[in-house]
Amino acid sequence: MEIQHFSHHHPLVFIQAHSVASKAAFCLGCEKPVEGWSYGCNQCEFYLHKGCAELELAPKIQHPFHPKHPLTLLPNSARYRSGICDFCRKKFGGFCYSCFDCDFDLHINCALLQSSIAANFPNSLHPHPLHFIQNYNQEDERDCPGCQKPIYGPFYHCSDCTYPTFFNLHKECAELPLEINHPCDRKHALTLLQQPPTHPQKCSCYLCRIQWKGFVYSCSLCNFDLSLDDFLFSPPTITVASHEHPWMLVSRKMSFVCDFCGTNGDHTPYFSAICHLLVHKNCISLPRHIMITRHRHTISLSYSLRQNQVEDWMCKICYEEVDIRYGNYRCPASRCRYIAHVRCATDKAIWDGTIMPEGYDERSEEVVDEPWNLITDVVEQIRIGELMVASEIKHSYHDHNLRLTFSGKTKDDDSHCDGCTRPISTPFYSCEQCRFFLHKDCAELPKEMPHPFHKHLLTLSNSHDEYGYSYCVACRRRYQGFGYRCYKRYCRFGIDIQCMLLSNTLKHPSHEHSLVLVHNNEGTSCSACFRYLLSMDVAYRCMKRCDFSLDVGCASLPLTAWYKYDRHALTLTFSDDSEPSQLYCDLCEKEREPNRWFYYCADCDNSLHLNCAIGDLPNMKLGNKFKTDWHKHPFTVVKNIWNCPPCKVCGEVCNGQALECKESECNFTVHWNCLWDLRE
């Protein structure tokens, strides 16, 4: 049985039992593994669950999350690009129900959620009607406003609150009693408030120290507040697997320093009578062993390190001193001095939440029989000194054999590596049948690598989106060639090879002190380009706490560049004391800003903007093609040296890097930044 589905140009054949055990396949509608009855096109590896294929029977729906207008069913190919669901705020590539008038999209997994209006919800907690969602089985990136933890399982959703304000509330938090009696304040009942009471700016109470923003139980008469984490309906004695002795609740509020995380507390702690440890409730369940991408070994929770064992310890994440009188995570490997604050090691941007079992050994994960890189076969070897080097190889990302070259040039001196997209330098592998080049280092890149930019393991990839390129989330540049990606569901993290070479510390010539990688940079700006940094941006900040930051795009700029009219290399320069009348770029002849970085040749007195020197697309390979939604033909990445044609959009000459449509009826050139203004 065949159907002609609106989302695919070939007929789809009915498949009665598609087992993902035989061949992994994902439904292009809901993006979940295909099992059981489905429709598919084996030629294109296009598959749909039977239920997803039958959604076209309801091409328009009226949905309670968007009651203003009906929503229209669309495949991803009908959209400008992969969208973001306005319910779960996750990026999707499958079917969606969309409202063009409001730019509102629901991924079909969210559109099909069963919901019902929650009756009699107290207005003191939220002023709008709420929908109860019963069958939600994925973790939401936004935290519940009540308990400040990720949404999972049944919850309440407000469709009236839209970007940038959202309101999703755990079922447990929504059903909390509005008043409780608590042993720490026996005189008065505690009232549930949507947010903590206003405190003085320099208040040092527990809620202000942890910057709690969720629901609280409060007594205004006694100035007594409890966060939901401290809502003490739990048993007074707790036993957890990560600690051998039971924890007893201290029956009074007190100031203390937590023996596990080393931070101050100002509420009711838990106490281990045998170990004489006083800890926060949240710290009781800290795992004993975890793995983070910042370090190659498992790190273990330690709370018994004696002061006289070492001289001093520095946290390898924030690079501030670790007070070893309190808990920390450190590497148990002999002679390894890796240590981190508890709060640093368990930060959500650093640790993915995986707990390592007792006695875990990283060496047990090594697979001896499987190659660690993508060289599938060594066809021929040569001896260089005492080393045997592969002179001819087969590589997973190319169909033909590649031969190694140690000296000399390619037939085309402007050849670039298909892995890192940089100009070819020796040693490199090349294909004798086509223009494919790989630096030896790029050919030997490992299949999987951890990286401090991301908390999950990353996998080497040469695949790109439907337009023919990818986006590096670290330096915010488009790239072709190899990259490393996270294939965890709903993660979609990817970086290019240049950013993969960066580590968690950096010594940059623009600053006298070493720089350290920081994940949450909200409220700061880059000291090179002055771009305002967002909370999701990774950046390098001064280890000595100077007011100096570098975003990854500026930190990864090459220290030298070449200019067609200059026989010398241009040097990346960080300040300019020239007269204002001299602040011009010698390539585009436009004014330069005095405080921004630029490339400079002291011998010839030539100065260039950063983008004029390295191009708008430094990580796109010259000669490669990619597609856009604004033109019917693919564009080729070119570099104009002497005969520079005018841009089709702005009319100015296309010096250096540009895009070219080589079809005979078009035959025009356009700047990358002008591409978005191009219309058929």
Side-chain angles (χ1 to χ4, degrees):
M1 182 174 63
E2 293 184 352
I3 62 171
Q4 186 61 57
H5 199 267
F6 77 104
S7 65
H8 194 64
H9 52 283
H10 296 144
L12 302 183
V13 179
F14 178 70
I15 303 171
Q16 187 164 1
H18 192 136
S19 172
V20 295
S22 58
K23 184 176 181 180
F26 284 89
C27 171
L28 272 298
C30 65
E31 302 182 278
K32 293 181 179 178
V34 174
E35 293 180 293
W37 291 357
S38 63
Y39 288 92
C41 172
N42 290 326
Q43 176 184 349
C44 303
E45 296 187 354
F46 182 97
Y47 302 103
L48 291 176
H49 290 117
K50 182 176 181 292
C52 293
E54 293 172 348
L55 285 174
E56 69 173 348
L57 300 176
K60 287 185 179 290
I61 61 171
Q62 198 73 37
H63 202 280
F65 294 169
H66 190 71
K68 300 177 186 177
H69 309 113
L71 303 180
T72 304
L73 180 65
L74 294 176
N76 186 47
S77 58
R79 295 183 48 78
Y80 156 61
R81 59 177 57 196
S82 297
I84 293 179
C85 175
D86 284 282
F87 176 76
C88 67
R89 300 306 298 169
K90 288 187 170 66
K91 191 174 181 182
F92 66 86
F95 292 177
C96 73
Y97 279 98
S98 179
C99 174
F100 284 106
D101 294 333
C102 304
D103 194 22
F104 180 88
D105 300 309
L106 282 181
H107 185 233
I108 62 168
N109 292 328
C110 295
L112 299 178
L113 289 172
Q114 298 175 3
S115 65
S116 58
I117 293 290
N120 302 322
F121 192 83
N123 286 335
S124 61
L125 296 182
H126 195 68
H128 305 140
L130 298 181
H131 296 271
F132 178 61
I133 312 296
Q134 176 68 43
N135 56 331
Y136 194 70
N137 58 1
Q138 64 186 41
E139 186 174 294
D140 196 295
E141 293 178 354
R142 294 161 295 175
D143 292 338
C144 167
C147 63
Q148 301 293 292
K149 291 179 171 59
I151 295 289
Y152 190 85
F155 71 100
Y156 288 85
H157 167 71
C158 177
S159 58
D160 292 312
C161 293
T162 56
Y163 183 83
T165 302
F166 298 95
F167 190 86
N168 293 333
L169 193 65
H170 284 123
K171 178 178 182 292
E172 296 81 2
C173 296
E175 297 174 356
L176 287 168
L178 298 182
E179 283 191 349
I180 62 169
N181 292 309
H182 195 273
C184 290
D185 189 357
R186 301 179 185 274
K187 297 179 182 179
H188 314 109
L190 302 181
T191 303
L192 184 64
L193 302 180
Q194 186 182 0
Q195 57 188 13
T198 303
H199 292 175
Q201 186 174 3
K202 295 184 178 180
C203 177
S204 60
C205 77
Y206 169 66
L207 292 183
C208 291
R209 283 176 184 162
I210 66 172
Q211 298 181 334
W212 180 262
K213 298 178 182 178
F215 290 1
V216 297
Y217 280 103
S218 177
C219 175
S220 59
L221 298 174
C222 302
N223 291 326
F224 180 78
D225 304 307
L226 281 179
S227 71
L228 293 195
D229 277 351
D230 303 311
F231 180 31
L232 303 177
F233 287 155
S234 55
T237 301
I238 297 179
T239 302
V240 292
S242 59
H243 191 73
E244 58 270 28
H245 306 131
W247 297 97
M248 295 179 293
L249 175 65
V250 177
S251 60
R252 63 184 178 87
K253 180 180 176 183
M254 60 184 293
S255 296
F256 67 99
V257 178
C258 175
D259 283 305
F260 273 8
C261 70
T263 60
N264 294 329
D266 192 14
H267 61 136
T268 50
Y270 277 79
F271 178 66
S272 173
I274 300 175
C275 303
H276 300 287
L277 299 173
L278 206 61
V279 300
H280 297 121
K281 180 182 177 182
N282 287 345
C283 293
I284 289 175
S285 56
L286 281 172
R288 292 290 295 272
H289 310 287
I290 63 174
M291 178 76 82
I292 60 175
T293 55
R294 296 291 189 98
H295 190 58
R296 64 184 183 276
H297 301 139
T298 300
I299 55 176
S300 304
L301 179 64
S302 171
Y303 48 86
S304 60
L305 199 62
R306 295 181 180 178
Q307 185 74 38
N308 58 4
Q309 284 185 287
V310 291
E311 297 177 1
D312 61 84
W313 290 86
M314 191 74 71
C315 174
K316 295 300 189 295
I317 296 176
C318 70
Y319 283 86
E320 291 188 359
E321 188 176 351
V322 177
D323 189 339
I324 58 174
R325 294 175 298 174
Y326 304 104
N328 51 74
Y329 277 97
R330 61 188 180 108
C331 180
S334 60
R335 291 182 292 183
C336 183
R337 288 177 55 86
Y338 191 91
I339 192 171
H341 293 115
V342 167
R343 293 289 173 90
C344 292
T346 57
D347 188 285
K348 286 196 294 186
I350 304 292
W351 176 50
D352 66 357
T354 302
I355 299 174
M356 308 308 294
E358 197 75 35
Y360 173 79
D361 186 357
E362 294 86 0
R363 292 171 295 181
S364 64
E365 297 294 324
E366 295 179 1
V367 181
V368 178
D369 297 331
E370 186 176 343
W372 64 277
N373 59 25
L374 293 179
I375 297 176
T376 57
D377 187 25
V378 176
V379 180
E380 184 179 298
Q381 289 182 308
I382 58 174
R383 182 178 295 278
I384 300 178
E386 297 181 356
L387 296 177
M388 294 299 294
V389 178
S391 58
E392 185 174 350
I393 62 170
K394 292 181 181 293
H395 196 274
S396 295
Y397 290 158
H398 194 66
D399 295 333
H400 308 132
N401 289 5
L402 304 177
R403 292 200 65 86
L404 184 64
T405 300
F406 280 99
S407 60
K409 298 182 179 180
T410 66
K411 295 179 181 179
D412 179 359
D413 290 344
D414 200 28
S415 298
H416 286 64
C417 172
D418 284 88
C420 64
T421 71
R422 292 292 189 258
I424 278 293
S425 59
T426 55
F428 64 91
Y429 288 99
S430 62
C431 175
E432 296 179 351
Q433 302 179 50
C434 50
R435 294 187 74 257
F436 184 87
F437 303 96
L438 272 185
H439 288 126
K440 185 174 182 291
D441 289 342
C442 292
E444 296 172 351
L445 286 169
K447 291 180 180 179
E448 292 184 324
M449 281 184 68
H451 198 274
F453 286 178
H454 192 60
K455 59 186 176 182
H456 300 136
L457 194 66
L458 302 179
T459 303
L460 183 64
S461 169
N462 72 336
S463 62
H464 302 286
D465 62 18
E466 63 269 31
Y467 301 105
Y469 60 84
S470 298
Y471 179 79
C472 176
V473 299
C475 67
R476 302 164 67 93
R477 297 188 183 106
R478 280 85 180 168
Y479 72 92
Q480 293 174 320
F482 296 175
Y484 277 87
R485 292 187 178 182
C486 178
Y487 287 98
K488 290 280 187 182
R489 199 76 169 143
Y490 305 113
C491 194
R492 302 182 186 274
F493 179 92
I495 62 175
D496 59 40
I497 294 298
Q498 306 306 319
C499 292
M500 199 68 187
L501 299 177
L502 297 172
S503 64
N504 60 334
T505 58
L506 177 69
K507 190 69 181 78
H508 199 273
S510 62
H511 192 65
E512 58 182 329
H513 303 137
S514 295
L515 306 177
V516 59
L517 183 67
V518 178
H519 280 271
N520 187 349
N521 292 279
E522 188 172 9
T524 62
S525 59
C526 175
S527 301
C529 65
F530 306 109
R531 181 177 69 86
Y532 183 77
L533 301 178
L534 304 176
S535 59
M536 70 282 293
D537 288 332
V538 290
Y540 288 93
R541 301 181 70 176
C542 178
M543 196 181 295
K544 300 294 185 181
R545 303 302 180 264
C546 299
D547 187 18
F548 185 87
S549 300
L550 282 185
D551 65 19
V552 178
C554 293
S556 59
L557 285 170
L559 298 181
T560 58
W562 289 92
Y563 171 43
K564 62 183 179 182
Y565 295 122
D566 199 328
R567 64 180 182 273
H568 311 114
L570 300 173
T571 304
L572 183 62
T573 307
F574 316 112
S575 61
D576 194 350
D577 55 2
S578 303
E579 293 293 329
S581 60
Q582 302 298 317
L583 295 175
Y584 283 88
C585 173
D586 286 296
L587 182 63
C588 69
E589 299 181 352
K590 292 182 179 179
E591 192 173 357
R592 292 189 294 106
E593 295 186 38
N595 295 323
R596 292 184 183 259
W597 291 6
F598 64 103
Y599 283 96
Y600 180 65
C601 174
D603 294 324
C604 304
D605 195 27
N606 283 330
S607 303
L608 270 71
H609 289 122
L610 298 179
N611 278 13
C612 290
I614 66 171
D616 295 320
L617 304 168
N619 296 334
M620 301 276 268
K621 184 182 177 183
L622 294 180
N624 274 11
K625 295 182 178 182
F626 65 89
K627 299 179 291 185
T628 71
D629 289 326
W630 298 277
H631 193 62
K632 58 187 175 182
H633 304 134
F635 283 98
T636 303
V637 183
V638 298
K639 186 175 183 180
N640 298 313
I641 303 298
W642 302 110
N643 297 320
C644 303
C647 172
K648 182 177 177 63
V649 174
C650 70
E652 297 187 11
V653 295
C654 291
N655 272 322
Q657 239 175 11
L659 305 174
E660 185 176 79
C661 178
K662 296 188 175 183
E663 296 297 324
S664 57
E665 68 265 36
C666 296
N667 193 26
F668 67 82
T669 307
V670 62
H671 294 119
W672 168 262
N673 290 331
C674 295
L675 180 64
W676 319 115
D677 296 325
L678 187 67
R679 295 293 184 269
E680 291 289 346

